């Protein structure tokens, strides 16, 4: 399931496109997901219904009977202002009652054969006046095109770029699409690191990252809906260089690097050195990100990342924090502390790290390190949060990290404000 409104037409080349109009059988019989919505009274005004239907259809075709939590996650990208979600959730549960067979399943072998027969091996090149679109199928060809058109826009999931067109009405001159390069869609686990290709979606990387860094995976799950995670990429998040990109603090705290290529020349840059100013990166003209490499640390190294936003799911961060701390015999031997939303770039908290290193891993040390954040950041106030709030949250997240890594289980208490 993807958001059609920000899907660029050429990116569906070679794919099967299914919309709500395709679900009903030629004899008028509704698809099980449609019939379940009817039976459970899951539609009122009908404006949002096609989106819910397609989310349910994608779930029906892709997964066995899901849990309630999974249903909620799948439907989180669809908004309804009339019915409420309970009857729609009931429909998601009921649509499996007759089994998972449908006419799409019956035709799957034929569909697969047809799709395989039309796959390209050469670059798709389109033009309209001075506007050009290229979709190469190899890294080498992409590198050649990137050098030939150094000012071209690199397109992957389009979750940002699509809004430039639909909301800002921009015309895009030259576009280079990475999504058809198989080598860039890979997400591999090596002996020392996780390698994430430029075209690997959040959906592709979620399970792999969750295997090593579960709370990082949870931040990824919260950064967008299923539809967004099915198209958006972590490399794209990094390349936009937004100071509130949710993945950057965690990647930097883990010591991630970016593999860059220009022509036949590649180089590797520490991600903490990749962001040079607001929305500016270390990329040279004609250069692009091939992959990210995330080190796999030993389990005894303490790591966590947190996202604070007004709405828990699918909201832009006010503050995002990540901590990677090595504690040996009760003393901090190494500390990496990074924040997003606190400066013009995702930034290292150097003074905070200095206050932690070579100190005992205690509440007193953490309180001193939290106070040192005043030297590291002078946040701004905007629509997402005030400067004072951001500074306080940044300090308290560090304290939370300490408590969660030194307690057997997280504890919640109710503060009596009258005391």
């Amino acid at each position: 399931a993807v958001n059609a409104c920000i899907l660029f037409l050429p990116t569906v080349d070679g794919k099967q496109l299914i919309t709500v109009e395709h679900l009903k059988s030629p004899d008028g019989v509704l698809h099980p997901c449609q019939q379940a919505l009817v039976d459970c009274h899951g539609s009122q005004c009908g404006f949002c219904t096609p989106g819910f239907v397609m989310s349910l259809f994608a779930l029906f075709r892709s997964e066995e009977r899901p849990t309630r939590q999974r249903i909620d996650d799948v439907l989180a990208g669809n908004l309804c202002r009339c019915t409420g979600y309970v009857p729609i959730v009931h429909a998601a549960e009921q649509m499996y009652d007759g089994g998972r067979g449908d006419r799409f399943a019956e035709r799957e072998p034929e569909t697969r054969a047809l799709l395989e027969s039309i796959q390209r091996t050469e670059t798709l090149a389109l033009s309209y006046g001075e506007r050009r679109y290229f979709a190469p199928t190899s890294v080498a060809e992409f590198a050649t095109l990137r050098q030939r058109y150094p000012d071209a826009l690199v397109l992957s999931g389009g979750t940002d770029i699509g809004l430039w067109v639909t909301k800002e009405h921009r015309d895009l001159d030259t576009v280079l699409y990475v999504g058809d390069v198989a080598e860039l869609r890979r997400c591999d686990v090596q002996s020392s690191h996780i390698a994430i290709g430029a075209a690997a979606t959040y959906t592709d990387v979620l399970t792999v990252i969750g295997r090593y860094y579960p709370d990082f995976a949870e931040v990824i799950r919260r950064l967008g809906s299923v539809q967004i995670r099915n198209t958006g990429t972590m490399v794209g998040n990094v390349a936009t260089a937004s100071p509130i990109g949710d993945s950057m603090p965690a990647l930097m705290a883990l010591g991630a690097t970016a593999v860059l290529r220009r022509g036949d020349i590649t180089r590797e840059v520490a991600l903490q050195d990749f962001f040079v100013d607001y929305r500016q990166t270390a990329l040279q003209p004609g250069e692009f990100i091939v992959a990210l490499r995330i080190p796999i640390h030993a389990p005894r190294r303490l790591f966590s990342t947190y996202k604070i936003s007004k709405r828990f799911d699918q909201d832009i961060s006010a503050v995002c924090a990540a901590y990677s701390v090595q504690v040996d015999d009760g003393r901090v031997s190494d500390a990496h502390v990074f924040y997003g939303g606190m400066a013009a770039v995702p930034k290292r908290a150097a003074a905070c790290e200095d206050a932690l290193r070579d100190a005992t891993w205690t509440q007193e040390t953490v309180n001193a390190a939290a106070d040192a954040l005043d030297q590291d950041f002078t946040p701004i106030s905007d629509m997402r949060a005030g400067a004072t709030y951001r500074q306080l949250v940044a300090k308290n997240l560090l304290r939370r990290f300490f408590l969660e890594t030194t307690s057997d289980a997280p504890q919640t208490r109710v503060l009596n404000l009258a005391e």
Side-chain angles (χ1 to χ4, degrees):
V2 299
N3 289 325
C5 57
I6 54 174
L7 190 70
F8 287 93
L9 181 61
T11 64
V12 300
D13 174 64
K15 300 177 177 64
Q16 181 187 24
L17 176 65
I18 304 173
T19 69
V20 70
E21 289 83 5
H22 298 122
L23 300 194
K24 184 173 64 174
S25 298
D27 60 3
V29 175
L30 297 179
H31 188 272
C33 67
Q34 294 174 305
Q35 190 61 55
L37 271 173
V38 172
D39 295 341
C40 296
H41 307 285
S43 177
Q44 283 193 15
C45 79
F47 187 82
C48 67
T49 302
F52 276 104
V53 168
M54 295 313 295
S55 290
L56 293 179
F57 171 77
L59 179 65
F60 182 86
R61 292 294 308 127
S62 303
E63 301 178 27
E64 298 289 344
R65 192 180 291 269
T67 64
R68 171 60 190 270
Q69 181 177 345
R70 176 59 179 159
I71 292 172
D72 289 348
D73 193 32
V74 166
L75 296 180
N78 299 89
L79 300 180
C80 175
R81 295 181 179 272
C82 302
T83 311
Y85 294 91
V86 173
I88 302 173
V89 170
H90 289 166
E93 296 169 335
Q94 185 172 303
M95 67 182 179
Y96 289 92
D97 288 351
R100 292 181 60 206
D102 61 12
R103 63 192 184 93
F104 295 92
E106 294 171 0
R107 297 186 58 183
E108 185 166 323
E110 175 187 344
T111 302
R112 285 181 177 274
L114 178 58
L115 289 172
E116 289 171 0
S117 73
I118 63 172
Q119 295 308 300
R120 288 180 295 102
T121 58
E122 303 296 332
T123 297
L124 173 65
L126 305 173
S127 64
Y128 181 78
E130 297 298 316
R131 300 167 67 183
R132 296 175 293 267
Y133 173 93
F134 298 98
T137 58
S138 71
V139 175
E141 179 61 17
F142 189 92
T144 298
L145 288 166
R146 183 64 172 150
Q147 277 195 292
R148 186 182 305 164
Y149 302 103
D151 296 326
L153 190 67
V154 177
L155 171 67
S156 187
T159 54
D160 275 346
I161 297 173
L163 297 177
W164 297 356
V165 175
T166 60
K167 303 302 181 185
E168 300 177 13
H169 307 291
R170 293 194 204 178
D171 287 333
L172 309 181
D173 294 329
T174 301
V175 175
L176 304 181
Y177 179 55
V178 302
D180 287 346
V181 182
E183 300 140 280
L184 298 182
R185 295 200 302 267
R186 298 175 61 179
C187 179
D188 300 326
V189 177
Q190 309 292 337
S191 59
S192 61
H193 65 273
I194 304 168
I196 298 175
T201 67
Y202 287 116
T203 298
D204 296 332
V205 307
L206 185 61
T207 302
V208 176
I209 288 180
R211 194 182 309 155
Y212 298 93
Y213 305 111
D215 52 343
F216 188 9
E218 176 60 16
V219 168
I220 294 172
R221 191 197 66 78
R222 288 179 55 199
L223 64 79
S225 65
V226 167
Q227 295 96 320
I228 293 297
R229 296 198 299 272
N230 284 343
T231 53
T233 65
M234 187 172 289
V235 169
N237 192 227
V238 169
T240 59
S242 170
I244 49 175
D246 290 335
S247 67
M248 277 86 95
L251 290 168
M252 295 162 79
L254 290 170
T257 60
V259 180
L260 312 180
R261 177 166 173 171
R262 183 176 184 272
D264 296 328
I265 300 173
T266 60
R267 63 187 178 114
E268 193 168 354
V269 176
L271 210 58
Q272 66 187 47
D273 300 323
F274 182 74
F275 308 103
V276 297
D277 205 342
Y278 178 71
R279 297 280 188 176
Q280 296 182 25
T281 71
L283 284 171
Q284 299 173 356
E287 197 171 40
F288 64 99
I289 304 175
V290 176
L292 299 174
R293 291 177 176 168
I294 307 174
I296 299 174
H297 294 296
R300 62 190 180 89
R301 187 178 183 93
L302 307 178
F303 169 79
S304 193
T305 181
Y306 306 97
K307 171 179 176 172
I308 302 298
S309 53
K310 289 184 177 181
R311 190 175 63 241
F312 187 79
D313 284 311
Q314 301 176 54
D315 200 3
I316 295 174
S317 294
V319 176
C320 197
Y323 311 99
S324 178
V325 175
Q326 181 72 43
V327 179
D328 296 310
D329 298 325
R331 186 171 293 274
V332 178
S333 58
D334 189 32
H336 294 176
V337 178
F338 287 86
Y339 284 89
M342 297 288 288
V345 295
K347 186 182 173 185
R348 179 174 222 142
C352 177
E353 291 179 352
D354 289 341
L356 290 173
R357 287 195 187 96
D358 298 323
T360 54
W361 186 232
T362 63
Q363 185 73 65
E364 292 73 22
T365 294
V366 170
N367 287 339
D371 290 339
L373 289 170
D374 290 332
Q375 304 172 45
D376 289 312
F377 299 107
T378 307
I380 63 170
S381 295
D382 58 20
M383 61 182 292
R384 298 181 188 94
T388 302
Y389 174 82
R390 281 189 162 106
Q391 200 77 351
L392 178 61
V393 165
K395 295 177 180 181
N396 286 341
L397 287 176
L398 179 60
R399 295 186 175 102
R400 173 179 174 177
F401 173 65
F402 170 76
L403 292 173
E404 290 185 351
T405 55
T406 55
S407 304
D408 292 335
Q411 298 179 6
T412 302
R413 66 187 181 94
V414 177
L415 177 66
N416 186 349
L417 297 180
E419 293 180 357

